Amino acid sequence: MAMESSSRISRDPELTRRAMTGNTLSDFSSLHGSQYTFHAENGQTFLWYPGNSKIVKGQWKLLVQDDGKPVRCYKYSSNSYNPVTGLRSGPWRCVQFSGSEFQGSRIIVGDPFELASGRIPFRMQKLEHIPPREIAERIGIRPENLKTITSVGQL
């Protein structure tokens, strides 16, 4: 997805909601590694985090700031722990969109890795970078059958 489109999605609450709801977002950072989060329509979220042996279940919502821009908020159980920040979960934590969340093929249509089942497809190593197409291959999905949203017109 072009930077202009991804930036537009991250500034528009309705486009953001449509991009996230019922879809899986892929993310990679040098601090965490690859992460995949399925955002169910009922507000539940299912995070596949590197090094974990099971899915981290929680809740998600979008809020609109005074300037009209959306922020994404997550709440995970109080027994979950973020090894990078050193914080236990529990209260809602909200973060602004940078625009990069929707670049490239980072929005995967639906829940192809079945994260909502509560089971991880396999255990990712900490800090490992595994693109969506590679995950698909590892779990027996033909990569060409993995659908991604690459333009605003698909929302």
Side-chain angles (χ1 to χ4, degrees), residues 13-81:
E14 179 57 22
L15 289 176
T16 301
R17 184 192 61 73
R18 291 184 354 218
M20 293 180 69
T21 303
N23 293 323
T24 301
L25 296 185
S26 68
D27 187 35
F28 173 79
S29 79
S30 59
L31 297 174
H32 297 276
S34 291
Q35 298 177 70
Y36 290 86
T37 308
F38 174 63
H39 297 83
E41 291 181 29
N42 66 3
Q44 290 186 299
T45 189
F46 303 88
L47 169 63
W48 180 17
Y49 189 85
N52 283 7
S53 60
K54 61 183 180 177
I55 294 293
V56 181
K57 296 178 184 177
Q59 297 171 292
W60 75 280
K61 64 182 176 182
L62 292 175
L63 297 177
V64 180
Q65 301 178 110
D66 291 340
D67 63 3
K69 293 181 184 172
V71 293
R72 59 186 169 156
C73 303
Y74 296 94
K75 180 180 181 181
Y76 293 101
S77 68
S78 59
N79 65 348
S80 61
Y81 173 77

Side-chain angles (χ1 to χ4, degrees), residues 66-105:
D66 291 340
D67 63 3
K69 293 181 184 172
V71 293
R72 59 186 169 156
C73 303
Y74 296 94
K75 180 180 181 181
Y76 293 101
S77 68
S78 59
N79 65 348
S80 61
Y81 173 77
N82 184 323
V84 173
T85 64
L87 297 174
R88 291 223 167 267
S89 292
W92 284 98
R93 298 196 196 288
C94 300
V95 292
Q96 293 184 340
F97 289 95
S98 66
S100 65
E101 292 86 358
F102 305 118
Q103 287 180 358
S105 299

Side-chain angles (χ1 to χ4, degrees), residues 10 19 27 33 45 65 76 108 110 119 131 146 152 154:
S10 66
D27 187 35
T45 189
Q65 301 178 110
Y76 293 101
I108 304 165
R119 295 181 308 275
L146 194 67
V152 172
Q154 291 175 278

